[in-house]
Amino acid sequence: MSATIISGKDVAKDKRTQLKKKVEEIRSQGVVPKLIIILVGNDPASLSYIKGKKKAAEETGVDFTLEHLDEGTTEATLLQLIDRYNNDNMVDGILVQLPLPAHIDETKVIEKISPEKDVDGFHPINIGRMMTQQDCFLPCTPAGILELIKTSDINISGKNAVIIGRSNIVGKPVGQMLLNEHATVTYCHSRTKNIEEFTKQADIVVVAVGIANFLPGNAIKEGAIVIDVGVNRLESGKLCGDVHFEEASEHAGHITPVPGGVGPMTITMLISNTVKAAEKRARK
Ligand code: GUN
């Protein structure tokens, strides 16, 4: 059996076209969707992610401002800047790029962002709203994963979903979101024994551990949907996921590639959250 490849690149492209149309509508009502990204320091990975976010904003017509602060910026200055944007009625979304320098408390910063502008979906209020199935901003990578699973035309309800990884940004929320869609969810992590005993029962497997080729093909149930969140750079310079792609493709029904799977969806969902905030402003 050879799996159908779920192209995040194609799904993201379609989604961005739809978002562009929505932005045109919102702009015609006199509201310009606006996203602020705050970066402290010069982390090369962060600079590269921000470039992608800027490109997506430009493609869809979302106004984009980067506040690039010095590495030595104090926590108090950063909190003040967030507060200024919290109170700026022309701003829809605020994202503080992580990681922050060690002298700044990440939790304090995330909690300072108004939950109504928290387009990352990292604020505890948004996490709580997600758990209790209220209207909220969903975190971008898990939201993108759900969109990818939905393109495969399976009904999530009643399916066994196994999540490998329990990070606050991906593993935990994606499990919660699949539970909200009525899947039976099992979390596996670094202390789980015999992970393959769980994955062999799984109709949906989401792998987010950050270890190249962690999941072998023989751990996958025939026909399963396999979502690979990992982005690992091999010594050869080649990118690879957390799933052994060639092996897994022989067993899975659907599988996401790396690159071109989950990655392009994350930024697209950030724009989607910003547009959602702007739509609310336009309705006011
Ligand atoms: N750093 C790496 N990924 C992310 C993300 O999704 N949001 C923020 N704020 N920082 C990040």
Side-chain angles (χ1 to χ4, degrees):
M1 186 170 170
S2 196
T4 301
I5 292 176
I6 306 176
S7 168
K9 210 171 143 189
D10 291 351
V11 178
K13 193 167 165 230
D14 287 352
K15 181 101 192 154
R16 286 184 197 190
T17 305
Q18 288 166 21
L19 286 168
K20 185 166 184 260
K21 280 195 195 126
K22 264 196 197 169
V23 170
E24 280 163 10
E25 270 172 46
I26 298 168
R27 278 180 174 259
S28 75
Q29 294 163 43
V31 167
V32 178
K34 187 173 177 70
L35 171 65
I36 306 290
I37 295 196
I38 304 174
L39 171 66
V40 185
N42 294 295
D43 176 61
S46 291
L47 285 164
S48 160
Y49 287 137
I50 289 172
K51 222 165 116 184
K53 290 169 183 174
K54 181 167 186 261
K55 181 170 166 274
E58 282 167 359
E59 259 175 53
T60 48
V62 168
D63 197 69
F64 175 94
T65 297
L66 172 63
E67 283 276 6
H68 193 168
L69 307 179
D70 196 79
E71 178 82 26
T73 302
T74 64
E75 185 180 281
T77 301
L78 176 58
L79 294 175
Q80 265 171 21
L81 183 66
I82 294 170
D83 216 29
R84 204 181 90 210
Y85 285 123
N86 280 343
N87 293 311
D88 182 339
N89 293 333
M90 306 301 260
V91 168
D92 298 294
I94 305 168
L95 180 150
V96 178
Q97 189 67 32
L98 303 177
L100 286 165
H103 66 277
I104 299 178
D105 182 342
E106 202 171 285
T107 304
K108 250 195 206 167
V109 168
I110 290 172
E111 292 190 0
K112 187 71 178 175
I113 299 169
S114 159
E116 314 314 319
K117 298 191 180 188
D118 167 40
V119 285
D120 253 333
F122 289 172
H123 194 291
I125 294 249
N126 278 314
I127 296 168
R129 286 176 180 160
M130 173 187 69
M131 294 197 79
T132 52
Q133 291 176 276
Q134 300 173 62
D135 184 39
C136 65
F137 290 118
L138 295 170
C140 301
T141 300
I145 291 170
L146 265 282
E147 296 257 332
L148 291 178
I149 293 172
K150 285 176 180 173
T151 65
S152 68
D153 272 343
I154 71 136
N155 187 4
I156 296 172
S157 176
K159 295 290 189 300
N160 287 339
V162 168
I163 317 300
I164 312 180
R166 53 174 161 174
S167 71
N168 289 333
I169 293 182
V170 182
K172 276 186 213 164
V174 81
Q176 183 65 51
M177 286 164 66
L178 286 164
L179 180 64
N180 290 350
E181 299 278 341
H182 315 292
T184 303
V185 178
T186 304
Y187 287 96
C188 298
H189 48 78
S190 51
R191 310 268 175 109
T192 305
K193 296 185 177 69
N194 304 323
I195 283 182
E196 69 283 359
E197 284 179 16
F198 296 94
T199 57
K200 279 178 183 167
Q201 308 295 320
D203 306 301
I204 300 167
V205 187
V206 180
V207 194
V209 290
I211 302 171
N213 298 320
F214 174 82
L215 193 72
N218 62 11
I220 293 164
K221 182 179 165 182
E222 294 300 312
I225 298 184
V226 178
I227 305 289
D228 190 348
V229 188
V231 182
N232 309 291
R233 180 128 355 233
L234 299 175
E235 268 181 31
S236 65
K238 202 175 155 245
L239 283 184
C240 95
D242 292 349
V243 177
H244 194 298
F245 184 82
E246 284 75 25
E247 286 179 20
S249 300
E250 293 301 312
H251 298 274
H254 294 79
I255 188 167
T256 60
V258 177
V262 174
M265 291 304 290
T266 297
I267 292 179
T268 306
M269 299 318 288
L270 171 68
I271 300 296
S272 176
N273 279 345
T274 306
V275 171
K276 178 178 167 162
E279 276 180 317
K280 273 198 185 154
R281 176 154 70 97
R283 279 200 299 269
K284 270 185 191 161

